[in-house]
Amino acid sequence: MQLRSYASDPEPDPPPTLTQQVERLKAELAVTQQALLERQARLNEAQQRLVLISKIARDDERCRRAPTVSWAALYCGPDNLARIGTDLPIA
């Protein structure tokens, strides 16, 4: 059985040229690289947070004196994470 083609049927898109394929792949690569950079930044932040929590959790006396400093490692923003350290003075 043959399908008839009508004049109103749209023409199929021509296959992409090699240049178009390369450009599409470059765009996909750029998006993938950006996603990787974002995930690496999130991983780095999580590692910093875990190291800080680990150091604070090992100092039982400090946790008892200043529990808010311990919780700050969990809830502070990424830009403030580097400023919080185990040497942070306790008031």
Side-chain angles (χ1 to χ4, degrees), residues 12-25 28:
D13 291 335
T17 65
L18 183 59
T19 303
Q20 290 171 327
Q21 290 174 354
V22 168
E23 290 303 314
R24 182 185 56 82
L25 289 173
E28 286 180 18

Side-chain angles (χ1 to χ4, degrees), residues 11-66:
E11 290 290 322
D13 291 335
T17 65
L18 183 59
T19 303
Q20 290 171 327
Q21 290 174 354
V22 168
E23 290 303 314
R24 182 185 56 82
L25 289 173
K26 283 181 181 179
E28 286 180 18
L29 178 61
V31 168
T32 304
Q33 286 175 327
Q34 182 61 35
L36 177 61
L37 289 174
E38 291 170 4
R39 282 169 178 75
Q40 285 175 329
R42 290 180 63 193
L43 177 60
N44 186 32
E45 176 191 338
Q47 288 172 333
Q48 289 176 345
R49 202 175 293 275
L50 286 172
V51 167
L52 183 58
I53 291 168
S54 175
K55 287 179 181 179
I56 292 171
R58 283 188 220 137
D59 189 350
D60 187 52
E61 180 183 333
R62 181 183 177 128
C63 289
R64 292 180 196 284
R65 287 183 306 185

